[in-house]
Each structure stands twice: as C-alpha cells, then as structure tokens.
Amino acid sequence: MRNILGGFIVALAVILFVSSLILIFVRDNAQKSSLWLEHYKSHDSVSHLHHAAALDPYNPELWALVPDSAPESLLARRIRQSLQRQGAEPLSKNIVP
Amino acid sequence: MNRYFFEQALYIYAALHIFSATLILITPESRFITGIISLLWALLSTALALWLWERLIFLARQTRDDNRALPQKLLAGMDRQYIYNQGLHALKSLNSIVLYVFIGGLFYVSAALWSSFAPVVYPPLEKLNEQISAYLLTQGLAGYVQDDYYFFFPVAIQQIAPLVIIGLSFWMAQIFTYGARQGRMVLIVLLGIFAIVFLKLIWSASDLIIDTSRVPSQLWQGYGWGRIGILQALGAAPDTQLSAFQIRVFETGLSGALLSLLPACAAFLVLLRNVLAKEGQVPSGCLGFAVLLILAYADFYMAYNPDMLGLWLSGWSALSILCIYQKQGMRKIYRIYQ
C-alpha cells in the first residue's frame, strides 16, 4: 500500500506542478474572449466578435452585444437586465444591423 | 537529501501556510495567484515526496540485504533513535487515513469531470448559441461553429489545482507530525490560520445563514465546472448568494456534490473511532469535530467566497493531524540480559 500511495502522491505533485505553470502562463478562453471583445470595441471589426464567440460563447459580455432584434430577444433582454443588476457597464456601442 | 532538509521543511511548510492564507485573503481571486500558490506547494510536495521515496528505498534495501545475525538484527530493530534519525517514522504518513481521504477526493473529481465532459445543456443556453450564430451569419461570418469552443481543460485545471493543494497539504501535515520533533507545533499554526480566516469570513459575510432551499433535487449530472455565472444570468440558478455546496450541485450535479462529502465522512469516522477507542484521544477528537463542524457550516450555510480556500487548506491540514491516533502512555523498554 505504501508504494501505491507514494506513487499516487508523486503523481499528484507532478500534476500540481504542471497545473501551476499552465495557470501562470496560459490565459483561459474566457480571458482571451474578453480580450477579443476589447479589440472589437476599439476596432469595430466583427471578425473580432467572431473570435470572441468561438472562444467563449457563454461570455455574458458577448450576449449583451447581441441585438434585441435577433431571435430569442426576450432571453437577450433578460441577460442584459441581469448584467445591469450585477453592476455591468452600460453598452457604449449599438451594433444592431 | 538528508534529515536536515526534513527538519527545515517543517518550517517551510508552516511558512507556506501563512503565505498562502495571506495571499488568498488580501488579493482578489485570479488564475495567476492560484498558479503561484500551486507552484510553491508543488515544489515543496515534490521535494518531500522524493525524500520519502528515498526512505522507502532505504527501508527496502535494509530488509533485503540484511545478512546480519539474529542478535544484531534485533538490536538494530530496538534502536528507536536509529529509526528516527533515518526518517523512517515519516513513512507512517502513507497510511489508510490518507488513502481514504484521497479516494474520496478522487471520486468527487471523477464525477465533476464526467459532468464537465458531458454536461447537461440548459435549453436557453442552446438557443443563445443559435442566436449568436444567427447574428454572426447576418454579418457575413459563416465560419462560427459552436463545437469549436472547448473551454474544458483550462477550467478543469483551475478547479482541480486547489483540491490537489489541499490533498498534498493533508498528507504533509501527517508526515511532519509523525517524523519531526516539532511536528505538533504545526497544529497551533494551522488552527491560528483557520480561526483568522473563519473570523474574516464571518466579518465580511452579509448573511450568516443564506437561503439554501433552492437546490435542484433531480439534477444528478451537472452543468459543468465554471458555469454557475452563466446559469445565474440565464435564470437556471437563483440570482442570489449561493453556498459552495449549492454551486457544486449546479456544476457537478447531485452525484458530484454528494461524493464531495466523502472525505469529510472518512475524517468523521476516523475521529469517532479515535474518541471511542481511547480516553486520551477525547480532547483532540473534540477539536477535530469542531473543525469539521465549522467546515461543514461554511460549506452549507455561508455564501461562497474565494477566501474559503484558506479555510479549507488550514482546516483540512489541522484535521489531518487531529485524525492521528496517538499512542501514549506506553513505552517499550528493551533490556539485554547477559
């Protein structure tokens, strides 16, 4: 049992070491998606929005940008209201086509 | 690596606990901070694991190549000081208590990974994807495929790393208690950190007991790790403060949330056995029950706060020491009659 448990602990230590390096040096998709959204806001290019959606379609900032005229507008409105309740900044851009 | 390393590692371990708790309390939650804390714990645990491995090899060699005559063997076995100086007491940390807690944690991680690999998809979430896709199509971008999106790996690492830190710290607390002269000193440090973090959590909490009634009773498979914000925004989860246990129910399902209680059950049973088996164990057993009770209260009834990692880290490490069955009051005295 000692050898099995010892091996398991060594494996855990190695996993933690690799995880720590990933956590320090690699951005997660949500962070990357937010960066693309920032680019979108500053450059006004929809392809940036596309990258943001591909990386993290569940990013609430992204939903807030989707126009009310799109299908399921009720849902979009609910999300926007929820975000505003949470203290999100009001949208500076109107991207309704 | 020699015994001096081990004695010094004890102080590094205590300092690392203080450093981690301070960092968790004073900085906002971020991947970078979690990464720094993980890195430091990984370095210490790797060094200690290698040291212990060396002890295992030493012990195996001693027993395999022992060609001495029986009297010499007996004398060597009686030499407690020799066993202590070679760090062989630390091997007791590879015991069944650690095994039970690790297996319990492994069950929880397996359930959570299962939920995250194949999550339940909340219908409005699917519609939202279609909505984004439709909008991008109107902009002339047809390449968007929602299946390309794969966030599982980085989110899983962010969730697993704290659990591994707690597990390794649990094991290291035992190694020092068994093997180092000042091992019990760590318990005072850990309980001090535990009390400070708990008081800070109480101080910053708006409600000491939050509403925990809204938990889905049929959700055996969860929506996946890291999705509680989305679920709250969509109205699938209550848009109020949630406890850590409630969040686990939504993210990992009831199966994951119930399995996450297994390590606590194992610790409870070990403490109960200790208290019932020996009168001398009652004080440390009661202290262990108090720590377990506070951990359970914070988990079930306090609104989740990232600072809780400090509470879990110090609390589980203290529990690890309190779970040890102390053999007191009897000492073997070997005497050689000529």
Side-chain angles (χ1 to χ4, degrees):
Chain A
M1 191 186 83
R2 275 178 178 170
N3 287 333
I4 295 168
L5 198 54
F8 186 62
I9 285 167
V10 172
L12 279 183
V14 172
I15 288 171
L16 188 62
F17 189 72
V18 176
S19 304
S20 65
L21 294 180
I22 292 171
L23 284 171
I24 291 171
F25 296 111
V26 180
R27 286 197 185 99
D28 70 352
N29 285 5
Q31 286 173 317
K32 285 181 198 164
S33 172
S34 296
L35 280 177
W36 279 115
L37 278 178
E38 288 301 316
H39 283 304
Y40 164 72
K41 285 174 186 170
S42 55
H43 295 99
D44 202 15
S45 163
V46 188
S47 66
H48 290 153
L49 194 64
H50 173 229
H51 285 302
L55 279 165
D56 184 7
Y58 304 133
N59 185 344
E61 285 178 68
L62 177 78
W63 309 343
L65 294 171
V66 177
D68 272 348
S69 56
E72 306 294 334
S73 60
L74 181 67
L75 180 67
R77 205 171 298 127
R78 269 177 64 189
I79 292 160
R80 185 171 291 124
Q81 284 165 357
S82 171
L83 284 170
Q84 279 166 357
R85 273 205 304 280
Q86 289 168 23
E89 285 179 15
L91 296 172
S92 56
K93 241 180 226 299
N94 180 12
I95 59 164
V96 179
Chain B
M1 283 184 277
N2 54 23
R3 178 141 198 98
Y4 294 111
F5 158 75
F6 185 63
E7 296 289 349
Q8 287 158 5
L10 169 70
Y11 296 101
I12 297 172
Y13 175 76
L16 201 50
H17 261 291
I18 296 169
F19 179 73
S20 304
T22 312
L23 214 57
I24 290 165
L25 288 183
I26 63 170
T27 56
E29 188 191 25
S30 76
R31 280 168 64 85
F32 182 73
I33 295 295
T34 313
I36 292 288
I37 294 172
S38 305
L39 184 66
L40 294 173
W41 280 103
L43 288 174
L44 182 62
S45 54
T46 308
L48 270 172
L50 289 176
W51 181 81
L52 206 65
W53 194 8
E54 201 183 23
R55 296 299 85 205
L56 270 172
I57 292 168
F58 172 78
L59 185 66
R61 201 171 54 225
Q62 288 285 101
T63 46
R64 194 179 57 235
D65 302 333
D66 200 358
N67 296 322
R68 287 175 291 184
L70 184 63
Q72 274 78 28
K73 267 188 196 174
L74 287 173
L75 282 170
M78 290 172 196
D79 193 351
R80 296 168 66 88
Q81 194 60 32
Y82 175 75
I83 292 171
Y84 180 81
N85 285 339
Q86 295 304 321
L88 297 178
H89 281 306
L91 289 175
K92 289 180 184 174
S93 66
L94 301 173
N95 57 27
S96 50
I97 301 172
V98 178
L99 190 71
Y100 296 150
V101 171
F102 276 19
I103 287 176
L106 207 61
F107 274 126
Y108 165 63
V109 171
S110 309
L113 287 177
W114 172 57
S115 284
S116 301
F117 263 127
V120 174
V121 179
Y122 188 54
L125 209 59
E126 218 165 352
K127 287 178 185 168
L128 185 74
N129 267 322
E130 289 165 12
Q131 183 186 353
I132 294 167
S133 191
Y135 173 67
L136 289 170
L137 270 172
T138 61
Q139 299 295 311
L141 290 165
Y144 170 68
V145 184
Q146 68 188 62
D147 293 340
D148 287 349
Y149 162 71
Y150 191 66
F151 82 129
F152 168 74
F153 186 64
V155 172
I157 281 181
Q158 202 169 352
Q159 300 282 336
I160 290 174
L163 298 177
V164 177
I165 292 174
I166 293 168
L168 288 173
S169 171
F170 185 89
W171 162 69
M172 280 190 270
Q174 293 229 341
I175 211 177
F176 290 123
T177 313
Y178 278 121
R181 288 183 203 281
Q182 292 88 9
R184 285 257 150 194
M185 176 273 289
V186 179
L187 182 63
I188 298 164
V189 176
L190 292 172
L191 288 176
I193 296 170
F194 184 74
I196 291 168
V197 178
F198 184 57
L199 288 174
K200 201 256 175 186
L201 283 173
I202 285 187
W203 184 261
S204 60
S206 53
D207 289 319
L208 290 182
I209 295 180
I210 60 166
D211 178 24
T212 54
S213 58
R214 282 191 64 188
V215 172
S217 55
Q218 299 295 323
L219 186 73
W220 287 100
Q221 193 180 356
Y223 293 107
W225 259 335
R227 287 198 173 154
I228 191 66
I230 299 149
L231 295 170
Q232 281 185 317
L234 287 171
D239 198 9
T240 53
Q241 290 181 318
L242 295 172
S243 69
F245 183 77
Q246 276 177 300
I247 292 174
R248 283 205 300 277
V249 171
F250 280 106
E251 290 188 344
T252 64
L254 274 170
S255 54
L258 293 177
L259 285 172
S260 71
L261 302 179
L262 275 182
C265 291
F268 176 80
L269 290 174
V270 169
L271 286 170
L272 196 66
R273 180 207 63 175
N274 291 356
V275 168
L276 294 178
K278 200 170 185 180
E279 263 184 45
Q281 295 283 321
V282 173
S284 67
C286 289
L287 199 57
F289 284 130
V291 171
L292 207 54
L293 202 67
I294 290 173
L295 285 172
Y297 161 71
D299 199 44
F300 286 108
Y301 293 112
M302 288 185 86
Y304 173 72
N305 184 335
D307 294 349
M308 278 185 180
L309 177 58
L311 193 77
W312 294 331
L313 189 58
S314 53
W316 275 102
S317 306
L319 261 181
S320 168
I321 298 173
L322 293 168
C323 280
I324 289 174
Y325 187 77
Q326 296 165 42
K327 288 176 180 164
Q328 293 168 335
M330 191 197 287
R331 190 175 171 191
K332 288 179 188 171
I333 297 174
Y334 297 103
R335 189 165 294 172
I336 298 168
Y337 296 97
Q338 291 182 341

